[in-house]
Amino acid sequence: MKLFGTDGVRGEAGKFLTAEMAMKVAMSLGIYLQKSAVTRKILVGKDTRRSGYMIENAIVSGLTAVGYDVVQVGPMPTPAIAFITENMRCDAGIMISASHNSFEDNGIKLFDGHGNKFPSSVEGEIESIYFDTEKLLDAQVTGRKIGKAKRIDDVIGRYIIQLKNSFPVNMTLQGMRIVLDTANGAAYKVGPTVLEELGAEVIVLHNKPDGFNINEGCGALHTKELCQNVMKYRADLGIALDGDADRLVVVDEQGEVVDGDQLLGALGVYLNDQHLLKGEGIVSTVMSNAALDDYMQENGLTLYRSDVGDKNVLEVMKEKGINFGGEQSGHIIMHDFAKTGDGLVAALQVLSLIIAKNKPASAVLRPFSLYPQTLVNINVQTKKPLDSIKGLEELLNSIEACDMRHLIRYSGTENKLRLLLECKDAKMMRTKMEELVTFFKKALND
């Protein structure tokens, strides 16, 4: 597909993701929904990027042009849009965000009327409509059929209630000190509010968005300042969200970042001990460390793997009847409470685990040791098909002969080639990674 990647449409705002593109994507969604539309109402939310104004207005124009009413809710986390779409009985939801990317980028994420991300097959149908000029022209309505738009500013309360309902009713955060980094993003209001209402003392970092500082040196991808502040304030936990709050990174009371796979393992076993885990297993992606497989087996559980992307994780969860899964990067899906990765829901489950164990975060969030793993990203101009690169198969065979796991893939959201190696022999792994990087830099520039 030319528009949709791993997580919706994403690219540089004004260059790739133009106002015209946003309008046509919205029209294409409306046309696709025509046969199943019930309320002819679509929800639109966004994060705090300046370009959100441009894209939001273009989307409203596109939807109203094909006869849909639009509900605009302003800056809200991605999982909030998924929840409110269903809660307000909308036919679909649209989130304008490029997640963890810098402010120059923006994106469009689409949800069905139940708050689920559309599968790739549906995205393909929407994309086909996008490139059908005649269909776009024929679908535009006139007169009384043209849609209307209205802005609602108080829906944040619905989401706050949903978040608090995900936290055990017999628990409180009273006496806990938490440092929260909202990444100058969509959760800059709701994050502190929820934690404070549940009783925590909250030190908030990066909650003053200006349209350009989203994810800038802060949030889930930049945790140095969070680690320092956890130590400075002697906090019980540090929580970092990304720009649209669908990702969580946790810092323990010693100021150390907890690995995403260790977090998944700790939460999975905790949920199982509380008889809250369905399907006798959890789902993660091909990126997860093999030590997570072993830890699940030791606890009588199964780790199922999906392709990269929380949408793919969710598809396997549904297939296997499982209610918990996530990505090593911090997208954690608690399906009993959220339809997509939700950083705040996951954070509340982490806090309930710490309270239940009555031990520091460092003692309960690293229940197993990881096998050595290294990930390198290489910037690329074009994504040359991997199976067309001469000599790659032989190189990968030599890596496998060393009892080493590898994953080579292009990013679905950025112009990068991602190289992952995992092996119990760290020295050998580093040597092979150097060989792999040298090979690709030459192969992709020839």
Side-chain angles (χ1 to χ4, degrees):
M1 293 190 289
K2 298 178 181 178
L3 298 181
F4 289 91
T6 305
D7 194 12
V9 179
R10 188 180 301 184
E12 186 176 354
K15 186 174 182 181
F16 172 77
L17 181 49
T18 61
E20 179 186 11
M21 175 186 282
M23 182 179 69
K24 288 174 64 178
V25 168
M27 292 174 69
S28 302
L29 171 64
I31 294 168
Y32 170 79
L33 291 171
Q34 283 179 344
K35 292 182 180 179
S36 60
V38 177
T39 62
R40 298 196 71 82
K41 180 172 65 177
I42 294 178
L43 187 82
V44 177
K46 60 183 179 180
D47 63 23
T48 57
R49 295 162 211 267
R50 174 68 66 87
S51 59
Y53 292 104
M54 172 188 75
I55 295 168
E56 180 182 26
N57 287 320
I59 285 173
V60 171
S61 294
L63 292 174
T64 54
V66 294
Y68 285 85
D69 293 340
V70 183
V71 179
Q72 298 166 263
V73 296
M76 292 284 284
T78 289
I81 299 305
F83 166 71
I84 298 168
T85 294
E86 182 177 43
N87 187 261
M88 293 188 67
R89 306 300 190 269
C90 296
D91 288 328
I94 299 176
M95 177 63 181
I96 303 165
S97 175
S99 194
H100 60 274
N101 291 31
S102 60
F103 85 90
E104 294 92 347
D105 292 341
N106 216 325
I108 299 173
K109 303 182 183 185
L110 305 179
F111 299 90
D112 66 20
H114 299 290
N116 297 308
K117 289 182 179 179
F118 285 111
S120 299
S121 58
V122 172
E123 290 179 340
E125 291 185 51
I126 294 170
E127 187 160 313
S128 295
I129 296 170
Y130 177 95
F131 289 106
D132 190 333
T133 303
E134 186 175 343
K135 185 170 287 188
L136 292 176
L137 288 171
D138 290 344
Q140 295 180 46
V141 298
T142 59
R144 295 179 183 274
K145 293 182 179 179
I146 295 173
K148 63 180 183 295
K150 65 177 179 179
R151 186 173 296 277
I152 301 179
D153 296 321
D154 61 354
V155 293
I156 191 172
R158 301 185 188 209
Y159 182 52
I160 288 172
I161 291 171
Q162 172 72 0
L163 288 171
K164 290 167 71 174
N165 285 341
S166 73
F167 191 69
V169 294
N170 61 332
M171 288 186 180
T172 175
L173 298 181
Q174 198 72 37
M176 295 197 77
R177 180 177 294 167
I178 299 167
V179 182
L180 172 66
D181 184 344
T182 67
N184 291 314
Y188 75 101
K189 289 183 179 179
V190 67
T193 300
V194 169
L195 295 175
E196 287 170 356
E197 287 190 7
L198 289 170
E201 177 189 351
V202 186
I203 295 96
V204 188
L205 308 177
H206 303 291
N207 64 331
K208 295 178 174 59
D210 62 10
F212 308 113
N213 59 2
I214 186 170
N215 299 314
E216 185 180 16
C218 59
L221 266 64
H222 307 280
T223 56
K224 181 179 179 180
E225 188 176 347
L226 176 62
C227 294
Q228 292 171 342
N229 276 274
V230 167
M231 297 298 291
K232 175 182 177 181
Y233 291 103
R234 299 181 181 178
D236 297 289
L237 198 71
I239 295 169
L241 306 172
D242 66 345
D244 68 338
D246 66 351
R247 179 186 294 204
L248 167 72
V249 171
V250 169
V251 173
D252 67 22
E253 83 287 354
Q254 297 178 354
E256 298 291 332
V257 174
V258 179
D259 182 85
D261 284 333
Q262 291 177 317
L263 199 62
L264 287 171
L267 283 172
V269 172
Y270 168 65
L271 291 172
N272 189 55
D273 291 343
Q274 300 295 312
H275 307 290
L276 298 174
L277 188 68
K278 299 173 184 175
E280 299 183 345
I282 72 172
V283 180
S284 188
T285 74
V286 290
M287 299 288 288
S288 280
N289 198 286
L292 180 58
D293 288 273
D294 295 344
Y295 182 65
M296 288 294 103
Q297 291 178 19
E298 291 169 8
N299 286 275
L301 300 171
T302 302
L303 174 67
Y304 298 94
R305 291 180 182 263
S306 74
D307 290 335
V308 174
D310 62 341
K311 177 176 64 178
N312 297 315
V313 171
L314 187 55
E315 287 182 5
V316 176
M317 287 170 61
K318 290 179 179 178
E319 177 189 335
K320 302 295 182 181
I322 291 170
N323 63 339
F324 175 71
E327 295 187 275
Q328 182 187 50
S329 60
H331 293 113
I332 298 176
I333 304 172
M334 317 286 301
H335 203 238
D336 288 350
F337 305 110
K339 298 296 181 72
T340 186
D342 191 322
L344 288 169
V345 166
L348 291 175
Q349 294 303 312
V350 170
L351 287 163
S352 71
L353 163 59
I354 294 169
I355 293 169
K357 297 292 185 180
N358 196 27
K359 293 180 180 179
S362 60
V364 298
L365 299 182
R366 294 187 181 85
F368 61 92
S369 297
L370 298 163
Y371 300 143
Q373 188 182 83
T374 183
L375 175 66
V376 173
N377 294 317
I378 298 177
N379 292 324
V380 297
Q381 294 297 319
T382 58
K383 296 180 179 180
K384 187 176 181 180
L386 295 178
D387 57 10
S388 70
I389 299 176
K390 292 182 179 180
L392 178 58
E393 184 176 356
E394 291 78 7
L395 178 55
L396 295 181
N397 287 338
S398 72
I399 288 172
E400 292 169 3
C402 298
D403 195 24
M404 194 177 304
R405 191 170 76 92
H406 62 78
L407 180 65
I408 316 295
R409 69 178 187 90
Y410 288 109
S411 168
T413 58
E414 300 173 273
N415 286 329
K416 292 182 179 181
L417 176 68
R418 304 198 192 282
L419 313 176
L420 181 144
L421 292 181
E422 179 183 287
C423 179
K424 294 182 180 180
D425 186 334
K427 184 177 179 181
M428 183 186 298
M429 178 186 68
R430 287 192 294 270
T431 299
K432 284 296 182 182
M433 179 58 82
E434 290 174 3
E435 186 178 343
L436 200 57
V437 169
T438 300
F439 172 84
F440 273 112
K441 285 185 175 179
K442 183 177 185 300
L444 294 176
N445 288 322
D446 284 347

